[in-house]
Amino acid sequence: MSPIRVLLADDHHLVRTGFRVILEIEDDIEVVGEAADGERAVGMTRALRPDVVLMDVEMPGMDGLEATRRISTDCEPGGPAVLMLTTFDRDDYLFAALRAGASGFLLKNGTPETLVDAIRVVARGDGLLAPELTRRVIATFARPGDRPGDDVGSAAALDSLTPREREVLVLVAGGASNAEIAADLHLGEATVKSHVSRVLAKLGLRDRVQAVVFAYEHGVVRPGG
């Protein structure tokens, strides 16, 4: 199989060098470029078409959030996945990243193994949040009147889901993998993958992370439910 092609976007040279050292020892990952700001990251993404963009949030000029929005808008389905990293443990960054189209969000205090695994997860089309961040997403939606910004996706699109697709959405929102959904619903994994793809397409969502946010925003699932 071809290696996962990764673009590094961070304004600190030493950070980019550290990420490159971590990633280039992996046989299935190739670092194809480095960008020191968001504008450069957008341009290099268009030129190099990486599989994953490892994106810092705070950068001079165009920040990582705006760069992620532009990459998500520019790219067709199946385009580069953006994995956001930051040292700032702030809910506003987390939700802004999700709404910008990021496929994952990690804090920089994680381990090298966590970073490598995250790149593999988003490269295969799955969304990812660090466990502590997932808990905060759910906790936020548990507070009526304290929800972050405008809704993701369209509430009206829910009516287009079949009963089976709605079941799949509920399980995705609960953090279940395709294998776990298949076991729960007594389906093949390929069938589950097709259901997930149709759910995302009908709801106008990029990946499973946005599906989780959508499900909580629109009351498909409720914290503790």
Side-chain angles (χ1 to χ4, degrees):
M1 295 179 63
S2 300
I4 300 167
R5 304 174 73 252
V6 178
L7 173 67
L8 306 177
D10 195 293
D11 58 322
H12 293 97
H13 180 74
L14 286 177
V15 172
R16 297 197 308 273
T17 299
F19 286 155
R20 181 180 283 273
V21 169
I22 290 169
L23 299 178
E24 287 195 332
I25 64 174
E26 303 295 328
D27 293 337
D28 62 336
I29 296 177
E30 176 188 2
V31 177
V32 296
E34 299 182 19
D37 59 62
E39 186 173 359
R40 182 71 172 154
V42 172
M44 293 184 72
T45 298
R46 291 169 178 163
L48 299 174
R49 303 189 65 80
D51 301 304
V52 176
V53 180
L54 198 59
M55 184 81 76
D56 188 24
V57 172
E58 289 203 337
M59 292 185 288
M62 184 189 299
D63 66 15
L65 297 172
E66 178 60 26
T68 298
R69 276 189 287 271
R70 296 196 184 189
I71 289 170
S72 298
T73 301
D74 284 354
C75 295
E76 299 176 355
V82 177
L83 178 60
M84 305 288 298
L85 288 110
T86 182
T87 56
F88 301 96
D89 191 3
R90 290 172 43 178
D91 286 348
D92 56 342
Y93 282 165
L94 168 59
F95 288 106
L98 296 180
R99 295 181 187 288
S103 295
F105 192 101
L106 292 176
L107 301 178
K108 288 184 180 177
N109 60 5
T111 66
E113 293 78 13
T114 299
L115 174 62
V116 171
D117 288 344
I119 288 173
R120 290 172 178 149
V121 167
V122 299
R124 67 173 179 253
D126 291 332
L128 178 141
L129 286 177
E132 64 271 23
L133 299 179
T134 301
R135 288 192 292 270
R136 282 163 49 195
V137 170
I138 294 172
T140 297
F141 288 112
R143 300 193 296 267
D146 192 23
R147 298 183 178 185
D150 298 329
D151 286 350
V152 168
S154 167
L158 268 175
D159 294 335
S160 70
L161 299 184
T162 66
R164 176 64 83 190
E165 288 166 352
R166 195 175 180 106
E167 283 184 293
V168 169
L169 175 60
V170 169
L171 292 171
V172 167
S177 66
N178 283 355
E180 291 167 336
I181 295 172
D184 190 76
L185 299 180
H186 306 290
L187 300 171
E189 284 193 50
T191 300
V192 170
K193 185 175 181 180
S194 295
H195 281 314
V196 172
S197 295
R198 285 197 295 271
V199 167
L200 297 179
K202 286 182 177 182
L203 299 181
L205 306 175
R206 179 179 175 84
D207 54 39
R208 298 167 82 102
V209 169
Q210 288 201 334
V212 173
V213 175
F214 178 96
Y216 280 100
E217 284 184 329
H218 297 289
V220 178
V221 292
R222 299 187 183 281

